[in-house]
Amino acid sequence: MSQGKVYLIGAGPGDPGLVTVRARELIERADVIVYDYLANPQLLDWARDDAEKLYVGKRSGMHSIPQDEIEELLVDRAGKGLNVVRLKGGDPFVFGRGGEEVSELQIDKIPFEIVPGVTAALAAAAYAGIPLSHRDYSSSITFLTGHENPEKQTLSIDFTRYGKSEGTLCLYMGLGQLPRILKELKSGGMSGDTPVGIIQWATLNRQNSVYGTVDSILDEIEKSGIGTPAMIIIGEVVARRTKTEWFEGRPLFGKRIVVTRAREQAGQLSKLLSDQGAEVLELPFISVEPHFEEQRVTEVFAGIAVYEWIIFTSANGVKHFFDLFYKAYDDIRCLGPMRIAAVGAATAREIQKHKLKVDLIPAKANADALAEELVENEGVEGVQILVVTGNQNRESLVQRLESDEARAIVDTLPLYKTTKTDLANEPAAERFRNEGADAVLFTSASTVKSFVDQHAALQLAPDARRPAFGSIGPLTTKTLKHLKLPVAFESPEASLEHFVVETIAHLTA
Ligand code: SAH
């Protein structure tokens, strides 16, 4: 069996945009991905669907997997000939026990490769606008750790030795031991006026920072409620930070906004909001899974030439249909010369990806309008029609086509199932319940309905932020009002860009 390889990769400080091109390439190819607490799980979106993804970090209330077990895991998977990506927050060789993992791999003669990452000190400094070195104020930069490892509670460094440092100190894992560390720095000669900056969750839209001096910072921490993970930067350069806060100063920074993930558009809206600094919670109200009878699919495909029309009622249906079709045939001509109808533009676009023309899209994008136009304009009496669908919204379409007046011969091919997502275990929903949000943005009547429908799973904790409800346009507003939800603002035009501008205006007024 061929030997696998272990790639020890720096996952950067949090923002997925801050990993290397090499890291992304290797994540995309990996058979196995082993990741921990500080590696952003969004990086896994790049992985293959069938890659094994193993979380080995700490979970609330539980210990993390012991280091020797992680090492065994890497050796085991690589020994089976698999390509293993070991993702570690920041850089793997900076307070990440990367050295220990590599030693173990060498003992077991497992080939490895190391990909550096943006370490937290560099990221926090850049995102807070602190120049770590400065010709006039600091010509050395020291990386220090408050704990030698998170499990060990004792200080491993004599901080009095750094009290006379003229340069910048960057302290990892230091928050818990900070009172003692500051005391030692002062007894080693550091002035109580030395500036200190603390940056939590650097590079993410929930970044939080607090500033003070060696003497005042503990009070500031208490007032601000800042927590871990945090980078502590000590030195004159902290006072030389940029006046404009390029990251935390963006219009929606510090705002938490909920959007629904059901529609294709959600990703685009999230990106626009996130670029303006907002922390976006995407709530997945529905999940779509393949669901079909193999026998039925085989029968339909075998007789596909008999159909004069094939109707697609959703983009999902198109995707699932062609996934199955290409598994059965490797020539698009096997589809036959039927005509094709799509319920709306998004569905049509999905069909056109296969270089197939769509013969009918109803003026109004719904299944009833589609049936009506087929019956009225095409005449369907005695015509064999295949309807490709999910488990919902097909009855009235089929009834209309089979009605005494229309008399089509209709077969349906259900390929997927739409179910309500169980929000009880969704991290985004949990964050919403516990901490609330500044706004919930609705982009359609159906997103409003899903929200109301999932009301029970979205009950806010007593001290959670109460969100304002924003609507993309008059139709959505009507649904909100109908369902007795107060509309705080409405976009002047029904486009995502206008909606974002209106959201900024409302939340920053
Ligand atoms: N290998 C990592 C460090 C792991 S030690 C690296 O190179 O960055 C974990 C410590 O790193 C945390 O306790 C915190 O001090 C720091 N850290 C990691 N990510 C951070 C972030 N996004 N913001 C602030 N500090 C962070």
Side-chain angles (χ1 to χ4, degrees), residues 311-328:
I311 298 177
F312 291 99
T313 62
S314 70
N316 269 314
V318 179
K319 275 193 208 120
H320 288 104
F321 180 86
F322 283 101
D323 279 353
L324 290 169
F325 186 80
Y326 292 135
K327 272 187 199 142

Side-chain angles (χ1 to χ4, degrees), residues 13 38 89-91 94-96 119-120 171-173 199-202 229-231:
L38 286 170
D91 180 273
V94 179
F95 307 130
T119 190
L171 185 56
Y172 290 72
M173 296 181 273
I199 300 105
Q200 179 189 17
W201 287 122
M231 175 55 51

